[in-house]
Amino acid sequence: FSSCISNGPYIMNSANGNDSKKFKGDVRSPGVPSRVVHVRKLPNDINEAEVIGLGLPFGKVTNLLMLKGKNQAFLELNSEECAQTMVSYYSSVTPVIRNHPIYMQYSTHKELKTDNSPNQVRAQAALQAVNALHGGGMGSMAISADAGTMGGAGTQSPVLRVIVENLFYPVTLDVLHQIFSKFGTVLKIITFTKNNQFQALIQYADGMTAQHAKLSLDGQNIYNACCTLRISFSKLTSLNVKYNNDKSRDYTRPDLPTADSQPSIDHQTMAAAAFGLSMPGIPSALASLGVGHSGMAAAAAAASRLGLSGLTASGGHNVLLVSNLNPEVSTLTCVTPSSSSLGVYGDVMRVKILFNKKENALIQMSDGTQAQLAMSHLNGQRLHGRAMRVTLSKHTTVQLPREGHEDQGLTKDYSNSPLHRFKKPGSKNYSNIFPPSATLHLSNIPPSVMEDDLRRLFASSGATVKAFKFFQKDRKMALIQMGSVEEAIESLIEFHNHDLGENHHLRVSFSKSTI
């Protein structure tokens, strides 16, 4: 990087790990354009590459200054025009990283100068890596300097080609529209299946918006561990949409006919088709799970997964109504985080059994996405001889009984439970979320516990153990196949967190594999 020599650099000194700063030279008001952009309100766990990514669509990022202690950063672009386009664009489209809206303005300084402290060396290394990855060519995108037009990437198509890989759940045109609209106005969408892959063409008003959406969404999962977006620029520069239906839409032409629309296929059939055609080895019985209860439900889960705001279904409610439970079996046992089938899909915070209808329970999950996942996976599943019904509740929280008021132990608070699976950010449990299946994944098995011990344990509840297999490379893990999905759910509830001795508590989850 060429050293910045000017009358007004911003100098960072942080050898001791603390953010301290000193200024020299002249300063100017934040409203006066500068090629240095001041970025504020960053999340605590932000990394250098994510900050650099904010500037990449607008030109080459020539310097970076991280002030993590203040949740701020300074980005220096290669020209004032690029910085103008960036600030202008983000004034109308607020970027969101991990549910944090990010704000930016011109810096009062003309250039950045960084020292050799560990924090800044890391920032410079990240900058070099990103520039190497993009060949240093981002600045040559022929970006318009006219802030009023938001800058157009003249050499880049405004049409994106999107392939959805690992299609565990149906992805509708409406879900795509809601996700991609967070980056600018979507003009047209065409969806189709090619080579057994679900694909879409999405047209924005300009190439700059398309570039920004591609950088933000490429490689992201709509749902945990599945429905991965692979995004490239299309060779087309405009889409020709003839019909507005469930396969294609021109949002600038609401007058288009709906002719030639295929009969709307219900989500369950779509899920079964996706599994049967492109996911060999996955049980086709998934079609009975009631996946994808609505476009809004799918969009809500997608929004949270991708760190976007404003797509939470029903206001982002995280309270579920679980009904048709078997009242002869302890209802709290079915839903407590120590053993819950709901706990596979999120952290159960509070449970309330309804006083007059003890087969019904209100379950408060940690957030709206977890509630959506639990609902889509468990609605319709059989438990203790009954098909559970899982829906979103109109309540936004489960109220605890007032002090001095007894509720016969029907309300429990589990917010401080040590058994939550998703307490740690980035937990590997997020990548092990699968639909209920007859095969369970067991982990945390001590060396002294043999196959016969585990077979006997799982058969002790009256269930049938059809098959068992230790992992070849790691004997701490195993697969166990039960007689049915219902037996597997009941076994998970019964034996998750079971004490196997030697300070080992068994971990049980649904498996994507079969034996």
Side-chain angles (χ1 to χ4, degrees), residues 249-276:
R249 198 82 50 86
D250 184 338
Y251 296 94
T252 68
R253 294 279 313 278
D255 57 311
L256 287 179
T258 59
D260 282 10
S261 174
Q262 296 178 1
S264 182
I265 304 172
D266 67 82
H267 288 160
Q268 295 163 341
T269 306
M270 289 173 68
F275 274 78

Side-chain angles (χ1 to χ4, degrees), residues 42-335:
L42 292 167
N44 290 329
D45 54 349
I46 192 81
N47 62 47
E48 287 80 4
E50 287 174 302
V51 177
I52 296 167
L54 291 169
L56 274 180
F58 306 95
K60 184 177 180 180
V61 178
T62 51
N63 213 342
L64 170 66
L65 186 62
M66 298 289 289
L67 300 175
K68 286 192 176 181
K70 297 180 182 295
N71 300 95
Q72 298 179 20
F74 289 83
L75 272 180
E76 178 189 276
L77 281 86
N78 61 330
S79 73
E80 200 170 281
E81 289 77 17
C82 291
Q84 277 185 295
T85 307
M86 177 179 174
V87 172
S88 176
Y89 181 85
Y90 286 132
S91 67
S92 64
V93 181
T94 304
V96 177
I97 297 177
R98 284 189 286 288
N99 294 321
H100 283 257
I102 312 300
Y103 301 97
M104 53 194 75
Q105 62 192 38
Y106 297 118
S107 169
T108 54
H109 300 277
K110 297 177 181 178
E111 292 184 293
L112 293 177
K113 184 178 180 181
T114 52
D115 61 21
N116 292 321
S117 67
N119 286 348
Q120 296 315 309
V121 168
R122 189 168 62 246
Q124 294 301 312
L127 193 57
Q128 284 180 312
V130 171
N131 280 335
L133 180 66
H134 291 280
M138 282 294 180
S140 61
M141 283 171 44
I143 298 174
S144 165
D146 181 2
T149 64
M150 292 296 214
T155 59
Q156 213 66 275
S157 169
V159 179
L160 295 176
R161 177 172 175 251
V162 180
I163 297 174
V164 183
E165 295 180 346
N166 208 8
L167 190 70
F168 269 46
Y169 307 111
V171 175
T172 65
L173 184 147
D174 289 333
V175 168
L176 290 172
H177 181 259
Q178 293 196 50
I179 292 170
F180 282 83
S181 290
K182 286 297 160 182
F183 301 91
T185 302
V186 173
L187 302 184
K188 304 171 186 177
I189 301 180
I190 297 173
T191 64
F192 56 96
T193 300
K194 184 178 180 182
N195 300 328
N196 276 343
Q197 287 183 311
F198 177 79
Q199 302 189 29
L201 294 170
I202 299 174
Q203 182 179 339
Y204 283 107
D206 55 73
M208 174 65 67
T209 309
Q211 172 80 357
H212 181 48
K214 178 181 181 298
L215 282 166
S216 300
L217 296 174
D218 188 26
Q220 296 281 352
N221 293 332
I222 296 178
Y223 297 97
N224 283 305
C226 68
C227 297
T228 307
L229 297 172
R230 300 295 179 200
I231 305 174
S232 59
F233 287 103
S234 171
K235 293 178 182 177
L236 300 170
T237 56
S238 182
L239 299 178
N240 181 24
V241 176
K242 295 181 179 179
Y243 304 106
N244 283 340
N245 52 41
D246 57 345
K247 303 295 181 190
S248 62
R249 198 82 50 86
D250 184 338
Y251 296 94
T252 68
R253 294 279 313 278
D255 57 311
L256 287 179
T258 59
D260 282 10
S261 174
Q262 296 178 1
S264 182
I265 304 172
D266 67 82
H267 288 160
Q268 295 163 341
T269 306
M270 289 173 68
F275 274 78
L277 291 175
S278 59
M279 303 296 292
I282 304 293
S284 60
L286 186 69
S288 67
L289 298 188
V291 283
H293 285 260
S294 69
M296 280 304 292
S304 179
R305 176 70 192 149
L306 298 176
L308 307 177
S309 62
L311 291 187
T312 49
S314 304
H317 290 180
N318 54 343
V319 178
L320 296 169
L321 173 63
V322 182
S323 55
N324 204 36
L325 293 165
N326 190 333
E328 295 176 11
V329 181
S330 171
T331 308
L332 279 174
T333 302
C334 299
V335 291

